[in-house]
Amino acid sequence: DGGITQSPKYLFRKEGQNVTLSCEQNLNHDAMYWYRQDPGQGLRLIYYSQIVNDFQKGDIAEGYSVSREKKESFPLTVTSAQKNPTAFYLCASSITGGNTIYFGEGSWLTVV
Amino acid sequence: GQQLNQSPQSMFIQEGEDVSMNCTSSSIFNTWLWYKQDPGEGPVLLIALYKAGELTSNGRLTAQFGITRKDSFLNISASIPSDVGIYFCAGQANAGGTSYGKLTFGQGTILTVHP
């Protein structure tokens, strides 16, 4: 089945550690995105990538890093510099020139 | 930056009732999208609107793209228990260029349906 796969679904991290969230899509979409969702709030854009080997900061990029070495993959690293990393993270993708994006099922990150 | 105000923040309704929620923007959007999110899952696209004045239906759902391009509403008719969830509006200012794919999201409307 085509879709966006995020892993892991649940992740616990100790303070001071980096952690990487995986996002893979087999929809042949060129553009991929990472959003953060906090309880009772909307989604905020962390990073996005329109093509392989290129990405741009979103509205809340500080403390995060990404890479886009393959079209299908857009991993997000939550670094120790992110002051409040506990949140629900959503990966998304869209076709070239398309303005409709589709989401993965999300990853819960909890800092303990 | 662009802001979307979505209302109401939450709704408690009886099964069978109709529901209406809306989003207003401080600036013009070229695209409006409506998503539904179940607890612990990613948002699922319900309806996409691409033209001012456009009225689109998807089963019991109807959404409209406001003529001013600064608002949109979503109606759900004859609600059922599985309609429970969080509904988000999202707007995009440009179909291409630097704003490509960047959506601005509303804060969400939490819908509870009592059987």
Side-chain angles (χ1 to χ4, degrees):
Chain A
D1 287 344
I4 303 170
T5 302
Q6 289 186 236
S7 63
K9 180 69 174 178
Y10 301 96
L11 188 60
F12 296 87
R13 187 195 91 177
K14 291 183 179 180
E15 281 191 17
Q17 289 182 339
N18 292 354
V19 63
T20 297
L21 306 179
S22 169
C23 179
E24 303 279 332
Q25 55 98 0
N26 60 4
L27 300 170
N28 201 32
H29 287 173
D30 285 305
M32 298 186 73
Y33 315 83
W34 274 104
Y35 286 86
R36 170 183 171 138
Q37 186 176 26
D38 293 286
Q41 298 192 26
L43 282 65
R44 294 183 290 169
L45 182 65
I46 304 172
Y47 268 98
Y48 66 104
S49 168
Q50 297 188 31
I51 56 173
V52 174
N53 293 323
D54 186 57
F55 49 83
Q56 287 81 40
K57 293 181 178 180
D59 301 318
I60 56 166
E62 184 176 353
Y64 299 97
S65 66
V66 293
S67 63
R68 187 84 189 277
E69 297 177 2
K70 297 187 301 182
K71 185 177 183 178
E72 308 79 33
S73 179
F74 191 41
L76 173 74
T77 297
V78 184
T79 74
S80 57
Q82 169 51 236
K83 291 182 170 50
N84 185 20
T86 295
F88 189 48
Y89 290 88
L90 287 159
C91 179
S93 68
S94 68
I95 64 172
T96 302
N99 43 20
T100 303
I101 70 171
Y102 299 89
F103 288 89
E105 295 193 343
S107 294
W108 289 95
L109 172 62
T110 301
V111 174
V112 297
Chain B
Q2 296 163 335
Q3 292 186 341
L4 280 184
N5 291 316
Q6 185 171 350
S7 64
Q9 287 188 337
S10 61
M11 303 181 73
F12 298 84
I13 63 170
Q14 291 293 129
E15 183 177 359
E17 289 183 358
D18 296 344
V19 172
S20 184
M21 59 192 78
N22 69 82
C23 275
T24 57
S25 169
S26 58
S27 56
I28 290 173
F29 285 116
N30 290 334
T31 299
W32 283 96
L33 306 172
W34 284 93
Y35 290 88
K36 181 193 177 195
Q37 184 178 31
D38 291 327
E41 302 294 331
V44 174
L45 181 66
L46 298 174
I47 292 180
L49 302 162
Y50 302 109
K51 292 182 183 178
E54 179 181 355
L55 183 71
T56 297
S57 293
N58 178 8
R60 293 179 295 106
L61 277 61
T62 301
Q64 184 159 30
F65 192 143
I67 298 242
T68 64
R69 295 179 176 263
K70 292 184 177 182
D71 63 316
S72 177
F73 72 74
L74 174 70
N75 286 343
I76 305 173
S77 63
S79 59
I80 59 178
S82 62
D83 289 334
V84 165
I86 305 175
Y87 291 81
F88 288 101
C89 63
Q92 185 188 49
N94 295 313
T98 57
S99 297
Y100 170 73
K102 288 179 63 178
L103 298 177
T104 300
F105 282 84
Q107 304 96 322
T109 295
I110 301 172
L111 179 63
T112 303
V113 180
H114 294 286

